[in-house]
Amino acid sequence: MKFKSLIASLLVASASLAPTAFAKDITLLNVSYDPTRELYKEVNAAFAKEWKTKTGDNVTINQSHAGSGAQSRAVIDGLKADVVTLALAYDIDVIAEKAKLFPENWQTRLPESSTPYTSTIVFIVRKGNPWKIKDWDDLAKQGISVITPNPKTSGGARWNYLAAYGYSLHKNGNDEKKAQEFVGKIFKNVPVLDTGARGSTVTFAQRGLGDVAISWENEAYLTLQEFGADKFEIIYPPESILAEPPVTLVDKNADSRGTRAVAEAYLQFLYTPEAQGIIAKNHYRPRLASAALASTPQIKLFNISEFGGWKKAQAVHFNDGGIFDKIYQAK
């Protein structure tokens, strides 16, 4: 009896230790755009904790950050992302088209066209707003210095550009010539084009260049947090663009690495109340209304559909020889 009791006790102990003894260590790579470092650091920790509780496995999510366009090209060139979380749909579409790493209908696989949060474009000014900046028109004034990244490499910069362009179209009866002239005036005021949004933040806040920075909403709040609310202010223009940064599984990479189940769960986690709360805390706009911060200003937002969607907008404005090239060369 004693022997049988001992065996039973050992079996119970062995069963209780099994999840730990056989826990797997899994690593994912999230290839993202410039300003999401802080967001995903917090999301990753929350997901890893939940996955550990559910499965007993240890998951580590490594992050890669740069301008969204540059990150898209890096994945095409072989960067082994399990998931991509980029600034705009075009940068993911081009991976599907050129590298064939996932289906071209990738946006249908998750809710809200695979965009778990939204954002918009705002201005950061120095404390006291010495130039009295209130709207897009103020950025085109002679003598003002504007900081924005390069639309050729930065997804945020493309949102910045289209926000200004769309504002001018609405103001001037959809006059394309006036919109081009208006955005051209703004870019004549840009002293340097950084490759990504975070580089522009450093240029403006740390290096002290510029009178105003055109910025992601979350990056603007981070600037105040990191560099001092006593030094900078956020200005919301009356009208801006609805930015929708999408996410997707990189199927072929995840399948070859055996990480599909974890990677899919990671992206699905972004839509959970816990993750949506983290998203709101980091000053992105969550899809879950109950998670939204009551303090988030509500302004008039227009959609990328006004430009015919991202494929058309990219071809007309940002591809070689497009409107941006003509505007910037004219500088």
Side-chain angles (χ1 to χ4, degrees), residues 60-331:
T60 300
I61 301 100
N62 294 322
Q63 298 173 217
S64 171
H65 298 273
S68 187
Q71 291 291 73
S72 176
R73 286 191 291 274
V75 174
I76 291 168
D77 291 341
L79 182 59
K80 296 296 183 183
D82 296 280
V83 300
V84 289
T85 58
L86 297 180
L88 46 94
Y90 176 81
D91 288 336
I92 298 182
D93 281 337
V94 76
I95 299 172
E97 178 186 341
K98 293 186 177 181
K100 311 294 185 186
L101 294 174
F102 45 82
E104 292 190 6
N105 69 343
W106 59 270
Q107 277 195 284
T108 66
R109 301 193 295 186
L110 288 167
E112 304 286 356
S113 297
S114 294
T115 57
Y117 60 86
T118 68
S119 188
T120 191
I121 303 303
V122 302
F123 310 145
I124 315 172
V125 299
R126 304 194 186 280
K127 194 68 176 180
N129 194 8
W131 283 82
K132 307 304 177 189
I133 292 166
K134 296 180 180 179
D135 210 335
W136 292 97
D137 286 323
D138 297 319
L139 275 59
K141 290 178 179 177
Q142 193 170 13
I144 194 168
S145 179
V146 180
I147 301 299
T148 184
N150 189 343
K152 292 288 191 175
T153 54
S154 167
R158 277 171 275 174
W159 287 115
N160 295 355
Y161 168 105
L162 291 176
Y165 200 99
Y167 163 80
S168 180
L169 288 176
H170 298 159
K171 181 182 178 181
N172 296 295
N174 291 318
D175 190 315
E176 290 282 346
K177 184 177 179 181
K178 286 184 177 179
Q180 291 179 32
E181 290 174 351
F182 176 72
V183 177
K185 287 179 181 178
I186 291 177
F187 274 90
K188 282 181 181 178
N189 290 336
V190 177
V192 59
L193 288 177
D194 290 292
T195 58
R198 185 56 55 88
S200 282
T201 299
V202 170
T203 292
F204 180 72
Q206 193 166 312
R207 294 176 59 199
L209 297 182
D211 303 303
V212 55
I214 311 176
S215 172
W216 288 102
E217 183 177 32
N218 65 286
E219 190 77 354
Y221 280 96
L222 186 66
T223 300
L224 268 63
Q225 179 183 323
E226 293 292 321
F227 296 98
D230 59 331
K231 297 178 182 177
F232 302 99
E233 297 177 23
I234 299 171
I235 304 296
Y236 278 83
E239 180 180 27
S240 192
I241 197 165
L242 175 67
E244 297 179 288
V247 304
T248 195
L249 175 76
V250 185
D251 297 53
K252 287 191 176 180
N253 290 349
D255 287 341
S256 68
R257 300 185 64 241
T259 58
R260 174 183 279 267
V262 186
E264 286 180 332
Y266 175 66
L267 294 179
Q268 291 161 2
F269 177 74
L270 296 175
Y271 293 86
T272 65
E274 181 179 6
Q276 291 282 294
I278 294 170
I279 285 165
K281 175 186 170 185
N282 282 271
H283 297 287
Y284 296 84
R285 299 185 176 216
R287 290 295 192 178
L288 187 63
S290 60
L293 299 179
S295 58
T296 300
Q298 300 303 309
I299 62 175
K300 182 180 178 182
L301 298 173
F302 56 90
N303 198 283
I304 187 64
S305 62
E306 294 195 20
F307 298 92
W310 265 113
K311 187 173 183 179
K312 183 177 179 181
Q314 179 71 29
V316 170
H317 292 273
F318 307 116
N319 281 355
D320 291 346
I323 293 173
F324 172 72
D325 280 351
K326 294 172 183 175
I327 287 172
Y328 202 65
Q329 286 169 7
K331 178 183 174 182

